[in-house]
Every structure is written in C-alpha cells, then in structure tokens.
Amino acid sequence: MSRQQGLPAMGRGWIKIAASLMIGAALVVVAADHPRADHPARTAAPEAVVADATERAAVIAAIGRQLAALARDDAAGAFAMAAPAIQARFGTPDRFLRMVRHAYPAVIRPVQVDYGPAWRLADGRFVQRAMLQTREGGVVMAVYTLELVEGDHRITGCFLFDTPAEAV
C-alpha cells in the first residue's frame, strides 16, 4: 500500500493505542497551562466523555476549515478559527500564520488527515486527535483542543507528537 492511500492497518492500530496514552498526557498539559492558578484543572485532569457524532462532526469541520485556510495561505481564515485567547496572544492574522509556519509545519498542507474519536471535557471544551501525513512522508499525531464560542468551535491549542518510524 502506498503512503498516499493511508497507513497500514498494523500501524494504525499501534498509533491508536499510543494516541490514547498521549491524549491523556495532552489533557494534563492543557490543565497545567491553564492561566488561572485556582482553576480546578490545575489540580486534576478534567473528566472526558466520547463526543457524540454531531459534536465530532462540528469539531472536525472546525479543524478542517483551519487546515483548508492554511493550505491556501489564508492568514485571516486560519486566524478566524482560533479561539479569542489565541487571537489576543498573536494580535494579527499574519503573526499567527508566521507562528504556525514556524512551529507547526505539519499542519501546512498535509497529504492526508485521519481523525480519531473526539472527547468532550466536563468544562465544555473538546479534544480531537488527528493523524497528519506530511508531504515528506512522515506521520504526525496532532491533538487539538477546542472551545465553543457563540455556538462555533474554535481552536484553543494544537499539540504535535512525532510517531515512531516503525508505526508507519
């Protein structure tokens, strides 16, 4: 099977197991990075349940809109999918796009994106795993965090994890 047709079944299974473990680690990172020291997430990882099909579709659509904007070099479109706190941190769409190009090259024009399950956290945020096949042939696991802003899912963070070569 060619890399462009997808990951071999054995690699996908291993990656799913690793992804589950890394999601837990990412949730701890999200909790540890919360700006309010008195927030309950500082002391315990938030509880999560598998998102229903409608929630998962909305989360994937939001991530897909940002990936599509990044593929078009549409700074304003990609910036629009970021949560207000991220927008405040970077100030302008151009600064945001420069940061993404520098720190998150795997999300710029991936060859293929495979989404796993989505989780809804007790505080209303969402977590979505995506396997990104890069143009160079590598596979990177992205763990996105999202929040609802006036009824729309907006991206609050993205954590990238390299996958071992033998998993591909």
Side-chain angles (χ1 to χ4, degrees), residues 7-149:
L7 299 173
M10 189 163 130
R12 285 192 305 262
W14 189 92
I15 290 172
K16 286 179 183 178
I17 292 168
S20 297
L21 296 172
M22 290 185 186
I23 293 287
L27 292 176
V28 171
V29 170
V30 169
D33 193 36
H34 198 281
R36 288 185 38 211
D38 63 336
H39 191 279
R42 298 281 298 174
T43 57
E47 292 183 30
V49 297
V50 175
D52 66 36
T54 302
E55 292 169 328
R56 181 177 181 266
V59 164
I60 289 171
I63 295 167
R65 283 192 297 277
Q66 187 174 66
L67 290 174
L70 291 168
R72 294 187 309 268
D73 292 322
D74 176 5
F79 191 65
M81 296 312 303
I86 301 297
Q87 292 178 349
R89 181 180 298 164
F90 293 98
T92 69
D94 290 330
R95 275 194 214 141
F96 176 74
L97 184 58
R98 277 195 305 273
M99 177 278 299
V100 170
R101 283 183 181 144
H102 176 73
Y104 298 87
V107 303
I108 306 290
R109 296 180 195 87
V111 173
Q112 182 175 330
V113 180
D114 292 316
Y115 295 96
W119 290 272
R120 181 175 15 90
L121 305 180
D123 64 4
R125 291 180 296 158
F126 290 84
V127 176
Q128 174 67 58
R129 176 183 48 86
M131 300 306 292
L132 309 173
Q133 184 177 355
T134 67
R135 291 172 292 172
E136 295 78 24
V139 177
V140 174
M141 181 176 57
V143 178
Y144 285 89
T145 58
L146 301 92
E147 67 184 11
L148 280 171
V149 177

